[in-house]
Amino acid sequence: MVERYNLNQITLPTIPVPHDCVVTNILEDDEYLIFLFEEDISYHDSIQAIHPSAKGLTIRFHKTDGFREDMELYQYTSFKHQSGYMSKKPKRLFELTAHRKRPVEYLEHFVAWNTMIIHLFSKNSIMLRLFTDYVEFEWIEQESYIENLENDA
């Protein structure tokens, strides 16, 4: 099942947050920035609340003009005398999921006109600002859940 959320309308949507779910891979193609999530995400409380029949999730952020140039990545860094979010090259985003010892967790997001700010956590806090005109959530359903619904009907 695919849910689409448009970010270029007068009223912005409320997009569900897969809080604490692990992002296993971050990919890019000609049209989308893609977040692939762990298998069997249904054990997370956030998923139980928003889509209890889900086994998996893929989020696709549609690229707009200037997407790659305007994408911003910040990572929290702590030094002896100061700390804060430091700007990183956007290509570092794709390296985050390469370290299997440190999972990347999706914490929260904020929606604005053609923009999303996504807060992730791995070893440190990570903030991603990207320009997108719509977002697609593709839910992979649990077969047993669907079969139970069909049997009850």
Side-chain angles (χ1 to χ4, degrees):
M1 178 173 89
V2 177
E3 298 172 346
R4 183 174 164 156
Y5 303 95
N6 292 313
L7 303 181
N8 55 2
Q9 298 179 344
I10 293 172
T11 304
L12 293 172
T14 300
I15 301 175
V17 179
H19 178 68
D20 284 342
C21 294
V22 175
V23 178
T24 57
N25 208 348
I26 300 173
L27 308 167
E28 182 180 36
D29 66 17
D30 292 339
E31 280 192 77
Y32 298 98
L33 175 68
I34 304 164
F35 284 17
L36 301 174
F37 286 83
E38 63 191 313
E39 288 186 30
D40 196 17
I41 62 172
S42 63
Y43 73 91
H44 290 284
D45 291 341
S46 63
I47 301 303
Q48 285 295 318
I50 59 178
H51 203 99
S53 66
K55 180 179 180 182
L57 172 63
T58 300
I59 300 178
R60 291 181 189 86
F61 304 93
H62 185 256
K63 296 178 182 180
T64 58
D65 292 336
F67 180 90
R68 192 67 137 114
E69 296 82 30
D70 295 330
M71 186 167 69
E72 298 171 358
L73 182 68
Y74 300 93
Q75 187 170 10
Y76 189 82
T77 308
S78 182
F79 297 106
K80 186 174 181 179
H81 298 289
Q82 73 180 46
S83 59
Y85 283 92
M86 304 291 287
S87 179
K88 301 290 181 183
K89 293 182 180 180
K91 69 177 184 174
R92 291 277 321 255
L93 178 66
F94 305 102
E95 299 169 4
L96 290 174
T97 55
H99 302 288
R100 299 288 181 205
K101 292 181 183 178
R102 293 182 232 137
V104 177
E105 294 181 34
Y106 194 106
L107 297 181
E108 63 185 346
H109 59 238
F110 303 94
V111 178
W113 178 263
N114 282 342
T115 307
M116 281 191 74
I117 297 173
I118 302 166
H119 189 191
L120 304 169
F121 186 85
S122 185
K123 182 180 176 185
N124 297 335
S125 181
I126 301 154
M127 291 197 4
L128 171 65
R129 181 172 168 256
L130 53 95
F131 294 93
T132 180
D133 54 352
Y134 67 87
V135 179
E136 292 180 343
F137 275 51
E138 181 178 353
W139 297 99
I140 294 95
E141 303 287 331
Q142 296 179 14
E143 290 88 22
S144 60
Y145 184 85
I146 294 169
E147 288 172 8
N148 287 341
L149 287 177
E150 289 172 352
N151 291 337
D152 289 344

